[in-house]
Amino acid sequence: MADACKKWRNVDTRAFEGLQVDFAKECGATFIIRGIRALSDFEFEFEMGTMNRALAPGIEMVYLMTAPEYLFVSASRVKELVAFGASVDKYVPANVAKALKAQSARGGLRTGATEAND
């Protein structure tokens, strides 16, 4: 993620464990930006946002709608394409596509289909 965002000086990327709102509080954030693709995303985000508001009332959730041409793109679909050898270059940054291809070549890429069967 850091490589994909390095062209913006005002963007900081950090990994964290635990609750997103706890991490946001640690960083001094006052809002969290999330993306919504479809109605199913809205339901999930609405529930999570309501819980986050109860846990951290001072942190506002902000939702952005995806562009119509990317409505169908998800991590699961991208990993599935890579697992079957298809190009994902137009859906993810170049460094992400490269990392996914390398992970798939090592046999370490888990797709939604394999996760459901585990």
Side-chain angles (χ1 to χ4, degrees):
M1 173 104 80
D3 284 347
C5 296
K6 68 183 175 186
K7 64 183 173 184
W8 295 289
R9 286 187 233 163
N10 62 339
V11 173
D12 182 25
T13 60
R14 298 183 216 170
F16 69 94
E17 291 183 21
L19 295 174
Q20 188 178 51
V21 289
D22 289 342
F23 178 70
K25 283 191 268 187
E26 289 173 22
C27 294
T30 56
F31 61 92
I32 296 171
I33 299 173
R34 307 265 310 167
I36 295 179
R37 293 170 299 169
L39 187 57
S40 58
D41 286 351
F42 176 79
E43 288 185 58
F44 174 82
E45 294 294 341
F46 181 79
E47 289 176 10
M48 187 169 61
T50 302
M51 179 62 74
N52 285 345
R53 179 169 281 148
L55 294 171
I59 298 177
E60 193 66 39
M61 301 299 294
V62 177
Y63 301 98
L64 300 176
M65 300 286 295
T66 192
E69 62 267 26
Y70 298 111
L71 285 172
F72 61 92
V73 178
S74 69
S76 299
R77 296 293 75 81
V78 168
K79 288 189 281 185
E80 187 174 28
L81 288 172
V82 171
F84 287 104
S87 173
V88 295
D89 295 343
K90 62 183 175 182
Y91 305 120
V92 297
N95 63 306
V96 174
K98 183 178 177 181
L100 287 169
K101 289 174 193 170
Q103 189 176 5
S104 180
R106 291 189 308 269
L109 189 64
R110 293 173 53 103
T111 65
T114 55
E115 289 170 6
N117 294 326
D118 284 351

